[in-house]
Amino acid sequence: MANLFNRERRHFEAFIRRHRPSLLAVARRLCARGGLDPEDLVQEAFERALPEYEHLKDRTDPAAAAWLCTTMTNRFLDYCRRQRTENRGLPHLALVQDSMVSLDAPQESWELVSNDAFHAAIERLKPHLRDAYRLHAEGRRYQAIAEHFNVPVGTVGSWLTLARRDLKELLQPSVAVAQERGVLS
Amino acid sequence: MNANCTKLHLFIDGELGDAEAEAFRSHLPRCPACEEGLKDLLQLEMLAARALGGAALEAEAAAPAPAPAPEKPDTKVVPLRPWARRAYQAVIPLAMAACLSAIFVYRQAPADVPGVVFLEDMGTRGLEERLSHPRADHWRPYGPMRGSESSVEALPLRPLADLEEREDLRGVAAAYLLRGDLRQAEAFLEREKPSADRDNDLAVVALKQRSLTQALELLNRALRAEPRHPQALWNRGLVLRELDLLDRAADSFEQVAQLGEQGWSQEARQEAERLRGLYGKASK
């Protein structure tokens, strides 16, 4: 029994090790201006993952990452709802109820996008959008990216918005191919 | 749609001022379009962080990093918040309960072990082999250390003593192994409880000592216990390569590549391709 505990624990630790850095990178920006502690947000996502781990561990890494991201986003939205109702002094059960993410519900199409497909899409962006998005993904702030390109900060915001729009369009075919191959099944 | 809706990207990127961010958080629950947009964009950001998140992830790696979870109850583990305790008492299967403290150990990772112990300040890694300790297993390009690099020489003893005190013997062994002190590393690993991680690290010692058969036996034992053990698969690839079993070495690296670990996966794929090429030439 002790071995079983240790094995499960080690697997779950490895699961946290694989996903925590990227989840935390997203959470840190999301919570950069107050609200929640990003570490708390990530921790709560893993707390939610634990009872589901029997099912999650059989999923591909992109699928597990998509599930964790949806769970974390829902926790953040729950927090925003709570804060809003508290600020108004109006407890509202429907609004403050925790959102749970069913494992049966597809996490949109994101779980079908592999790292390779994402890299390929990035390569097809216009050069200035691609370079700006890369810097952003590496954790640079708008100001630093603006200085890198010697453009106004507002331009960086526009470039990133365009990069994301184009990325979503470029990723659609790879999602369609993955669906065709029956990855969902 | 109102003025807040135009700020979704800025909010996600943490580029709004405090007051604007608070206004946006208040706006979010009232705006289904922004909620959907937020979910969508965060998934894209998650993909980007996984695929490209170099600096951000390195920053994370440089932050107080997770220590391996001790097997005994840890007094530093924070208690669950009451709502969580109630929920988990009801739903957590017994075997999974053992994992709970892992979450909190990660959250509460001791901050007092400086990165220099695990040479985290180096831009490259000095060991081609992989160690099981998470602090010693952050991917960086492989590049043999130069003797002039100071942190290779200096082994800070106080943090090492702290590691030993909390029975993190693999951590102590990793610190020695990273500096090429095989005897000390082996001595600490001998005291560690049997596990796939311990076998992996002992195999690294054996590989360094050119005891290839012994290394392979240790790694095979580790992989029988944990078939997807990333470090053992990687090191098995190295041993098989040294034994000139290039095709089987490539298989092992390909298995690592499929695990999708940041950095390691790409390097494993490249090495598998290189070995396949060599094998093809050799077999002609």
Side-chain angles (χ1 to χ4, degrees), chain A residues 20-152:
Chain A
R20 187 174 181 275
S22 42
L23 209 56
L24 192 56
V26 175
R28 278 190 176 143
R29 274 205 291 255
L30 186 64
C31 305
R33 291 293 173 178
L36 281 167
D37 178 342
E39 300 260 8
D40 278 346
L41 197 57
V42 170
Q43 178 178 310
E44 288 189 19
F46 284 116
E47 286 173 22
R48 299 270 161 160
L50 183 54
E52 308 289 346
Y53 188 60
E54 269 302 301
H55 308 288
L56 270 174
K57 69 182 181 187
D58 296 328
R59 301 219 156 186
T60 61
D61 267 0
W67 187 90
L68 283 167
C69 187
T70 301
T71 300
M72 186 175 83
T73 308
N74 285 348
R75 294 299 301 147
F76 183 79
L77 290 169
D78 288 340
Y79 164 78
C80 292
R81 287 187 197 103
R82 276 207 185 89
Q83 196 183 39
R84 185 174 154 74
T85 51
E86 280 170 17
N87 286 348
R88 298 181 155 219
L90 296 170
H92 191 309
L93 286 179
L95 282 177
V96 299
Q97 196 170 21
D98 290 346
S99 313
M100 289 296 290
V101 183
S102 162
L103 276 164
D104 298 329
Q107 314 303 309
E108 308 295 340
S109 47
W110 298 106
E111 65 179 59
L112 301 176
V113 180
S114 66
N115 272 3
D116 289 345
F118 191 77
H119 277 293
I122 285 277
E123 289 306 317
R124 291 181 59 198
L125 288 177
K126 289 176 186 159
H128 63 290
L129 300 186
R130 179 184 62 216
D131 294 344
Y133 194 75
R134 276 186 191 282
L135 290 172
H136 162 75
E138 286 172 5
R140 305 272 189 98
R141 304 301 302 265
Y142 282 17
Q143 182 66 43
I145 301 172
E147 285 168 11
H148 179 88
F149 289 103
N150 198 21
V151 295

Side-chain angles (χ1 to χ4, degrees), chain B:
Chain B
M1 182 162 174
N2 67 25
N4 274 310
C5 299
T6 63
K7 296 175 183 168
L8 176 59
H9 288 252
L10 291 169
F11 177 73
I12 282 171
D13 291 339
E15 295 283 344
L16 290 179
D18 289 347
E20 281 180 307
E22 191 174 342
F24 191 86
R25 285 195 296 271
S26 176
H27 161 76
L28 255 180
R30 286 177 294 157
C31 181
C34 281
E35 261 202 38
E36 283 311 302
L38 180 90
K39 289 177 182 174
D40 225 25
L41 283 171
L42 289 183
Q43 291 284 358
L44 190 63
E45 291 303 286
M46 183 77 177
L47 273 175
R50 281 166 51 76
L52 307 170
L57 300 184
E58 278 169 26
E60 156 64 8
E71 303 295 333
K72 290 184 193 169
D74 189 332
T75 52
K76 290 182 180 175
V77 170
V78 293
L80 279 170
R81 268 160 267 161
W83 66 267
R85 189 193 301 276
R86 280 196 302 278
Y88 288 111
Q89 276 172 350
V91 299
I92 291 185
L94 187 60
M96 294 308 295
C99 302
L100 247 189
S101 63
I103 300 173
F104 296 100
V105 169
Y106 269 75
R107 177 69 177 84
Q108 295 288 308
D112 53 345
V113 180
V116 70
V117 172
F118 299 102
L119 304 185
E120 287 173 338
D121 53 337
M122 312 297 275
T124 56
R125 70 179 203 276
L127 268 188
E128 192 177 11
E129 297 82 0
R130 285 182 67 176
L131 302 177
S132 65
H133 196 283
R135 292 282 298 267
D137 191 44
H138 296 306
W139 182 85
R140 282 155 298 167
Y142 171 52
M145 302 287 186
R146 292 189 299 276
S148 60
E149 288 177 278
S150 59
S151 60
V152 176
E153 307 287 336
L155 182 54
L157 294 179
R158 179 58 202 260
L160 223 53
D162 290 340
L163 279 173
E164 189 176 5
E165 196 177 4
R166 67 173 77 123
E167 296 186 295
D168 187 352
L169 301 178
R170 277 189 300 118
V172 181
Y176 280 115
L177 256 173
L178 288 168
R179 291 164 175 81
D181 191 337
L182 304 182
R183 281 183 58 188
Q184 287 287 356
E186 195 170 20
F188 278 93
L189 287 171
E190 297 288 349
R191 289 167 50 195
E192 172 84 347
K193 277 177 285 193
S195 69
D197 285 343
R198 173 181 180 255
D199 283 343
N200 173 76
D201 293 1
L202 282 170
V204 173
V205 175
L207 178 54
K208 286 286 184 197
Q209 292 168 332
R210 306 293 302 162
S211 303
L212 299 182
T213 312
Q214 188 192 352
L216 195 56
E217 281 170 2
L218 285 161
L219 292 168
N220 285 343
R221 190 166 73 184
L223 289 167
R224 275 197 298 277
E226 286 190 46
R228 284 159 58 92
H229 193 291
Q231 294 86 9
L233 283 170
W234 176 280
N235 294 327
R236 187 166 179 271
L238 293 178
V239 175
L240 292 169
R241 188 185 72 187
E242 292 303 303
L243 290 167
D244 268 336
L245 299 168
L246 302 182
D247 202 29
R248 288 176 58 194
D251 288 345
S252 213
F253 280 113
E254 267 166 11
Q255 283 178 274
V256 178
Q258 284 166 13
L259 298 178
E261 302 168 286
Q262 185 78 27
W264 294 114
S265 180
Q266 289 81 356
E267 189 177 327
R269 190 168 291 117
Q270 285 167 5
E271 183 62 7
E273 282 169 10
R274 191 181 74 83
L275 293 171
R276 291 260 186 253
L278 289 173
Y279 178 75
K281 280 183 195 165
S283 54
K284 274 180 189 169

